[in-house]
Amino acid sequence: LNYFMGCDLKSNPEKKTLIENQFVNFSENILALKLSKPAMRALVREELWTIELIKKEKGENYISKLHGIGKTTIKKLF
């Protein structure tokens, strides 16, 4: 998947919808965290659908640098 960064989505609502339609792919443990839409879009762009993928394959340092991921999301994920 090659999605635009979050700021590009403001001018491209179709792309934003395409990304948000992918939210159904998240595992229940991700959905239960009730993350913000920008955070969820960031995870979609990285194809990170489970907590396990996030923690084992990428880690906190990598995730914290993604556009749309803030301190609240990091606390919930890690």
Side-chain angles (χ1 to χ4, degrees), residues 1 3-4 19-20 22-23 25-27 29-31 33-51 53-55 58-59 62-64 66-70 73-74 76-78:
L1 297 173
Y3 294 114
F4 294 117
I19 292 171
E20 291 180 357
Q22 297 298 310
F23 290 1
N25 294 322
F26 285 118
S27 66
N29 59 5
I30 294 280
L31 295 173
L33 297 175
K34 303 219 182 279
L35 302 176
S36 68
K37 282 191 177 183
M40 303 260 297
R41 288 192 296 263
L43 296 176
V44 168
R45 287 190 302 270
E46 296 291 319
E47 298 184 24
L48 296 170
W49 309 112
T50 67
I51 293 286
L53 283 173
I54 292 167
K55 290 183 176 183
K58 298 297 181 180
Y62 181 87
I63 298 298
S64 67
L66 296 176
H67 181 83
I69 302 290
T73 299
I74 292 298
K76 289 179 179 183
L77 293 173
F78 296 92

